[in-house]
Amino acid sequence: MHPDDEYAMENEHDLGKSECWHILEASPDAKLIMGLSEGITRDEFLEKVYKKEFDGIFNIVSVKKGDTIHLRPGACARYFRGECFNMRTPGEF
């Protein structure tokens, strides 16, 4: 998860960071975590992570070869299967 420009400037005196992922190859069942599920509160998230109960806390989307995904600053994201070329803005975060 990368900070936006406002937070990064105030706290690190640097620019924030966004990312863009382009899927070069992907298995038929390839999926990405794209942020938290709608309605998950901070307390619910922390409780589930502490208990190692990850079902239902993440927004999971299917991807295929040729898809391009823009990740705004502050969004958590992770890929599971397939190969990704990860392009991002410069920065230390």
Side-chain angles (χ1 to χ4, degrees):
M1 186 177 320
H2 302 294
D4 62 17
D5 287 343
E6 181 180 347
Y7 178 90
M9 275 297 177
E10 183 176 317
N11 294 280
E12 301 294 334
H13 310 292
D14 201 354
L15 294 174
K17 187 179 203 176
S18 63
E19 293 187 12
C20 181
W21 292 0
H22 183 73
I23 310 302
L24 297 176
E25 295 291 336
S27 60
D29 60 343
K31 297 184 185 315
L32 297 178
I33 292 174
M34 297 291 296
L36 299 178
S37 292
E38 190 172 331
I40 294 291
T41 66
R42 179 183 187 275
D43 290 340
E44 290 171 323
F45 176 79
L46 293 174
E47 180 181 340
K48 287 184 173 259
V49 169
Y50 178 76
K51 293 179 179 179
K52 298 183 180 177
E53 297 173 358
F54 301 105
D55 289 340
I57 62 174
F58 296 110
N59 179 36
I60 299 175
V61 298
S62 297
V63 294
K64 65 186 181 314
K65 181 178 180 174
D67 284 350
T68 301
I69 311 292
H70 175 256
L71 302 171
R72 72 188 189 295
C76 62
R78 181 75 181 143
Y79 55 88
F80 294 114
R81 294 183 185 89
E83 298 178 33
C84 290
F85 178 66
N86 187 344
M87 302 172 284
R88 53 184 127 188
T89 57
E92 294 299 318
F93 296 100

